[in-house]
Amino acid sequence: TGNGKLDRAALPAPQQEMHGSAGDPATPTEEALVDIWSDVLHVSSVGTDVNFFETGGNSILSLQVIDAIQETFGIDFSARLFFENPTITRLAEVIEEKILSDIEGSLFTEGDSALD
């Protein structure tokens, strides 16, 4: 404005879409992560190869995503894993590997006791 203040009414509406190099999720895990990110980041869609931190995500929001991952998938998930794998594609791979590892670990534990 003339007095140096920001005219909020003149600003364009915030963008509600984020695009990555891959638009559609390829697995149920990716679909769940797209839903989580969309809720946390308040956007209508997220590409699966979008970096969380390059699209408005921050460390506080990442804690919300981590909490939702733990609740949705029933696994322990560290902030370190999230920061090292900040795209939906990579997170889905890590989550699926972790779930399989947890299942295999419980099978070996059950199998060992059955052999005793």
Side-chain angles (χ1 to χ4, degrees), residues 28-102:
T29 304
E30 287 183 2
E31 287 177 16
L33 289 170
V34 165
D35 290 341
I36 290 169
W37 281 30
S38 295
D39 288 343
V40 170
L41 295 173
H42 303 290
V43 296
S44 60
S45 67
V46 170
T48 55
D49 287 331
V50 171
N51 183 305
F52 181 79
F53 299 103
E54 293 175 359
T55 57
N58 58 42
S59 58
I60 301 297
L61 293 175
S62 72
L63 295 177
Q64 292 177 22
V65 172
I66 292 165
D67 185 52
I69 287 171
Q70 292 180 138
E71 186 176 313
T72 300
F73 297 102
I75 58 173
D76 288 327
F77 201 82
S78 70
R80 181 185 60 80
L81 282 174
F82 185 82
F83 280 83
E84 290 175 351
N85 303 284
T87 67
I88 288 173
T89 300
R90 281 296 304 140
L91 278 177
E93 292 170 1
V94 171
I95 289 168
E96 290 167 357
E97 289 170 8
K98 184 151 182 48
I99 291 170
L100 286 175
S101 175
D102 289 352

Side-chain angles (χ1 to χ4, degrees), residues 5-22:
K5 292 186 178 181
L6 181 65
D7 182 4
R8 294 183 189 268
L11 292 173
Q15 264 190 314
Q16 293 297 310
E17 251 181 75
M18 288 185 210
H19 301 282
S21 58

